[in-house]
Amino acid sequence: MQNNFPNEGMSVIVKTITRFTVWLIFLYGLYIVLHGHLSPGGGFAGGVIIALSYVHLTLAYGKNFVLARVDKFAMNSLESIAAILFVLTGIVGLYVVGNFLANFMGIGKLYTLISAGYIPMLNIFICVKVGMGLYLVFYYLASFKPQEG
Amino acid sequence: MPVDVWLYFILGFMIIGSIASLEIKNILSSIITIGVVGLGLSLAFLFLGAPDLALVQFVFEILCVIILIRAFAKRSIEVRALRRDVPETIIAIVILASIFVLSIFAFKDLPSFGKPIVRVAERYLAQAGVETGSQNIVTSVILNYRIYDTLGEVTVLFTAILGTFTILRKTGRKKRHAE
Amino acid sequence: MILYLMCFFLFLVGVYGAITKRDLIKIILAIGIMGYSVNLFLVLLAYRTGALAPILEKGFNVPMVDPIPQALVLTSIVIELGVTALMAALAIRIYQKYDTFDITKIRRLQG
């Protein structure tokens, strides 16, 4: 990746190491989310790990590097869309089964990856919502300049 | 070693850590010490048979420390010497100590450690695999049996994040229209 | 019972910090300590001697700890972080307006 802001962030050593570690952290977050119904973890932990991978990138390369690749408006929208999809899942359950937020997908086979009905889907929604929201909180708190008011 | 001994050790460590973090003058050391207390809590969850909570507590503690350091460290890194009211502190310590002594009578009536009295858990533990198809029972509780709690939690988190954005917004909405 | 008492002592340390400290950051940290102790107390109540984590395994039928307090505490931890961020944002705005974190010098907030 080409870096348009070479003077921001930390030293060259940190940037080189970051290039190797940030993908591993992101992959670990995805693993935690997708295996949330099989092993410890779930949407909240995985979402925060994904947010931490962005925080890692921000601390090492400076905030303009991240903002040039990921739009702030897109993050905000993704967060809201995930919340809306969570509620829409509940309404689909209301139509199909009869209860709000009821499981409408069947439960599948125990101990396999594709199982537990809508739990993996809800885990993904929660992950997107928590991850994007907490990264934006970090971004706003870290980049707040008092004199701009 | 039994779980109790480990927990005495970890809890004593957490108490010492929190007193230290409240009494240290330097704010950066104070925030880092609170991070250490949170990691001790994560270790305690691991000993109590709650790996989900240990993972979540660990990760959230790291993010919390990063947020607090980025928010406060730049503004008040200097060692601060705030005047303190000695009589008020003594009164507070006396009242809290008397509350602690009185609480011994209240804690006598609780079931002893390691013998819970909750009954509904047995049904969840027996039926969760059949009813929800999820191997991790904590996930099946938060996302199937008690999903309304999770919906409320997502709403509260959304509101807290929105409040943060609103407080830190650079220009008010009215001013932006006037420009 | 000693474990419960130690947990309550941790809560009282948080209360002590929240009512005697004058620094806004210290007050935020004290509220965080109170949150830790409440979470730990709920999980301590759920523990059963010799039980394992509530994750099913094929072919094993062992006693497991109570999952419901764990689910509640999971909710509580997540909300605590959001509330901490909100309090940090408020503290930053107060600092910007009054140039101090000392609550006795923030005149307009006193009743």
Side-chain angles (χ1 to χ4, degrees), chain A residues 5 62-72 75 135 139:
Chain A
F5 309 96
K63 63 174 190 279
N64 289 323
F65 179 82
V66 178
L67 282 188
R69 282 158 180 78
V70 189
D71 195 11
K72 224 179 356 170
M75 281 186 158
Y135 176 69
Y139 171 77

Side-chain angles (χ1 to χ4, degrees), chain A:
Chain A
M1 282 191 294
Q2 191 196 348
N3 187 0
N4 296 326
F5 309 96
N7 296 324
E8 293 183 6
M10 298 186 182
S11 65
V12 153
I13 300 171
V14 178
K15 284 181 182 175
T16 312
I17 298 294
T18 301
R19 219 176 288 156
F20 292 114
T21 52
V22 74
W23 302 106
L24 294 176
I25 297 174
F26 195 85
L27 261 182
Y28 180 60
L30 282 183
Y31 167 80
I32 291 280
V33 172
L34 293 180
H35 289 242
H37 55 295
L38 300 178
S39 58
F44 295 107
V48 180
I49 292 173
I50 287 176
L52 277 175
S53 73
Y54 280 102
V55 169
H56 186 34
L57 208 59
T58 313
L59 289 178
Y61 278 88
K63 63 174 190 279
N64 289 323
F65 179 82
V66 178
L67 282 188
R69 282 158 180 78
V70 189
D71 195 11
K72 224 179 356 170
F73 178 74
M75 281 186 158
N76 240 327
S77 318
L78 264 179
E79 188 201 356
S80 310
I81 287 171
I84 291 173
L85 281 176
F86 194 101
V87 178
L88 275 183
T89 311
I91 294 175
V92 171
L94 183 64
Y95 273 103
V96 176
V97 180
N99 293 324
F100 185 65
L101 279 170
N103 187 0
F104 57 90
M105 291 168 70
I107 61 169
K109 194 168 175 297
L110 195 59
Y111 307 121
T112 53
L113 183 59
I114 310 289
S115 68
Y118 66 164
I119 287 178
M121 199 172 70
L122 290 181
N123 262 335
I124 293 172
F125 294 159
I126 289 174
C127 156
V128 172
K129 199 195 143 356
V130 171
M132 295 298 122
L134 290 180
Y135 176 69
L136 282 175
V137 164
F138 164 77
Y139 171 77
Y140 277 113
L141 276 176
S143 68
F144 180 74
K145 300 272 193 313
Q147 61 272 16
E148 287 175 14

Side-chain angles (χ1 to χ4, degrees), chain B residues 24 61 121 135 167 169, chain C residues 23 26 36 49 56 66 93:
Chain B
I24 288 178
E61 194 56 47
Q135 191 181 346
I167 289 167
R169 193 163 49 197
Chain C
D23 196 337
K26 288 280 175 67
Y36 291 155
T49 310
L56 297 172
D66 190 352
R93 275 292 184 191

Side-chain angles (χ1 to χ4, degrees), chain B residues 31-100:
Chain B
I31 293 172
I32 290 173
T33 317
I34 211 80
V36 172
V37 175
L39 296 185
L41 180 61
S42 163
L43 203 57
F45 284 154
L46 203 56
F47 278 109
L48 286 168
D52 286 276
L53 290 178
L55 185 61
V56 170
Q57 173 70 36
F58 183 82
V59 169
F60 273 66
E61 194 56 47
I62 300 287
L63 189 57
C64 189
V65 168
I66 292 177
I67 282 179
L68 285 176
I69 287 179
R70 285 302 288 237
F72 291 139
K74 228 184 287 175
R75 279 172 249 285
S76 57
I77 200 71
E78 81 277 10
V79 176
R80 51 185 56 226
L82 290 182
R83 194 170 50 85
R84 56 189 303 161
D85 308 314
V86 176
E88 284 180 11
T89 310
I90 292 174
I91 292 173
I93 289 177
V94 167
I95 290 176
L96 291 178
S98 57
I99 290 175
F100 181 72

